[in-house]
Amino acid sequence: MLTEKTMEKLRILAESAKYDVSCSSSGTVRSGKKGMVGSTVGGVGICHSFADDGRCISLLKVMLTNYCMYDCAYCINRRTNDIKRATLSVSELEEITMEFYRRNYIEGLFLSSGVVRNPDYTMERLVAIVRDLRTVHRFNGYIHLKTIPGASQELLQEAGRYADRMSVNIEIPKEESLKALAPEKNHKSIFLPMSQIQQGVLENKEDRRKFRHAPRFVPAGQSTQMIVGATKETDLDILKMSNAMYKQPTMRRVYYSGYVSVNTYDPRLPVLKQPPLVRENRLYQADWLMRFYHFNVDEIVDDAHAHLDLDVDPKLGWALRHPEFFPVDINKAPYEDILRVPGIGVKSAVLIVNSRRFNRITSYHLKKMGVVMKKAKYFITCGELTSAFSQPVIGINELRPERLRPLLLSKAQQRRAAAEKQLMLDFGNDDNP
């Protein structure tokens, strides 16, 4: 039975956990088993999101404690902040998870914690929770566990036997900026557990090839998070770090969190009127291009364009900078070229390539496939001279990018981008990175 005191602790700790956005989908399939409680959703995973069928998926996102020995400038839970503090016992958190699951409030658990005493002490308690949930309470749902940097490899190995996904947040992409805002942290303490988890996953794959029923180790891989706008790092710096992370075989997602001014009194931090949400969104779009659209990071951002264009999405921005690539012939171009056309997504590109084997594609077909013709019509040709949608008399090469650009911007987009450009960025001392 959950007491009023326990629920008050939960309220405080859930509030403290809301700034961590890396609530990754699981990517695992675990069907219900006799004697176990729950299952994971096949092919969908667990996150604060909507499934393909429109169903809302939820999980309990909570910290074990918001007390912390570190004083990171960007964190609401830093030790010098005067906020309400709370700590749940191991048994309390287990009881909350199982009670909420039985009431159908949640489908899984996202568990993190502030660091108390030392990393091993904190990690040991987190491991105790996930171990008890699996072995004592027979919980078969999704578990995402935040790793404590500096914890021993033995504890990480044990945690990986019970968690579906584990994550370590990079926070800041450059070491010097991280040291300026979080003097007790460094990249080595972050990358070491990442590599240890990766090693465990790869070894487990080999074991499962030899022994079919070998227990799984972090089957949904890893994720991480970077804060956007707290330091002077450019989008080029952020995306280069993301690109390096995705080259690791177990990294599934990199999350981007627009900096929220929670500690305005600290002179090391910028003063923002609001979080840089448009920039955050552009980074997610660029991330998508790297993962699914065959773009290299150097094509999206480079030394001449170190920041993403806030007015247009990164794919349209690339197209406007490379008019020589267009027009793309929908009926002849390879799949990779079709993916680069603004207004055409992965599903539409697959439909185009599969359908043109049987019939010539026209603008009518493209609309039916979900292509955004308002954008795509300036960058494609499909052999029609009279259609209002394809092969326009004036395309990108005739209009020129500088004239085409305003035609593709909605008034709402212009207003949002202009508002973000007006944000006051004040990093205090210019010597800070």
Side-chain angles (χ1 to χ4, degrees), residues 196-212:
Q196 291 170 341
I197 294 169
Q198 176 180 304
Q199 180 182 354
V201 172
L202 297 178
E203 289 176 354
N204 182 250
K205 286 184 177 179
E206 288 297 321
D207 291 340
R208 288 180 65 80
R209 288 192 185 101
K210 299 175 183 177
F211 308 103
R212 180 180 177 185

Side-chain angles (χ1 to χ4, degrees), residues 37-228:
V37 180
S39 63
T40 59
V41 182
V44 178
I46 306 296
C47 58
H48 285 302
S49 184
F50 290 89
D52 292 339
D53 59 2
R55 185 174 60 86
C56 182
I57 299 172
S58 59
L59 77 167
L60 174 61
K61 182 181 180 183
V62 67
M63 298 182 73
L64 178 62
T65 178
N66 63 351
Y67 287 96
C68 192
M69 59 186 283
Y70 297 140
D71 198 32
C72 306
Y74 47 79
C75 183
I76 186 64
N77 301 309
R78 60 189 293 187
R79 67 170 180 262
T80 53
N81 269 0
D82 184 18
I83 61 171
K84 286 186 176 181
R85 305 279 183 175
T87 301
L88 286 168
S89 67
V90 170
S91 59
E92 283 178 325
L93 208 150
E94 292 169 6
E95 182 184 7
I96 290 170
T97 303
M98 296 307 299
E99 189 68 22
F100 278 23
Y101 193 92
R102 292 189 182 100
R103 296 180 185 183
N104 203 28
Y105 293 165
I106 61 170
E107 295 175 85
L109 172 67
F110 178 92
L111 179 60
S112 62
S113 179
V115 183
V116 291
R117 296 193 186 179
N118 57 65
D120 274 350
Y121 174 81
T122 306
M123 191 68 195
E124 191 173 357
R125 300 182 72 203
L126 295 177
V127 171
I129 292 169
V130 295
R131 181 181 61 240
D132 288 353
L133 284 173
R134 296 295 195 207
T135 61
V136 177
H137 301 283
R138 313 298 290 169
F139 180 66
N140 201 38
Y142 174 71
I143 296 178
H144 181 150
L145 185 65
K146 289 298 296 295
T147 303
I148 305 298
S152 69
Q153 185 173 1
E154 291 76 16
L155 287 170
L156 295 181
Q157 291 295 317
E158 185 176 5
R161 294 198 292 269
Y162 304 112
D164 290 284
R165 174 164 288 180
M166 296 176 68
S167 58
V168 191
N169 286 350
I170 296 173
E171 305 293 11
I172 308 294
K174 283 191 173 181
E175 175 89 26
E176 57 268 28
S177 297
L178 179 64
K179 294 295 289 184
L181 298 186
E184 297 113 328
K185 292 184 179 179
N186 57 66
H187 275 172
K188 181 180 179 181
S189 66
I190 295 170
F191 294 142
L192 180 59
M194 281 186 177
S195 64
Q196 291 170 341
I197 294 169
Q198 176 180 304
Q199 180 182 354
V201 172
L202 297 178
E203 289 176 354
N204 182 250
K205 286 184 177 179
E206 288 297 321
D207 291 340
R208 288 180 65 80
R209 288 192 185 101
K210 299 175 183 177
F211 308 103
R212 180 180 177 185
H213 297 291
R216 297 187 297 178
F217 183 91
V218 195
Q222 302 185 68
S223 64
T224 190
Q225 172 180 296
M226 283 186 280
I227 299 172
V228 178

Side-chain angles (χ1 to χ4, degrees), residues 293 295 313-320 325-326 328 337-345 371-380 396 404 408:
Y293 286 79
F295 275 80
D313 66 81
K315 187 177 177 183
L316 178 56
W318 177 87
L320 292 173
F325 185 81
F326 303 99
V328 171
D337 289 358
I338 294 174
L339 272 180
R340 292 181 176 245
V341 176
I344 296 182
V371 174
V372 182
M373 295 302 295
K374 182 179 179 181
K375 286 185 180 180
K377 65 180 182 179
Y378 297 103
F379 303 94
I380 63 171
I396 183 173
L404 177 58
L408 296 173

Side-chain angles (χ1 to χ4, degrees), residues 234 236 240 297-307 321-322:
T234 63
L236 175 61
K240 276 190 172 181
V297 63
D298 294 332
E299 295 179 293
I300 303 170
V301 283
D302 53 34
D303 292 333
H305 305 87
H307 282 283
R321 294 197 305 271
H322 296 85

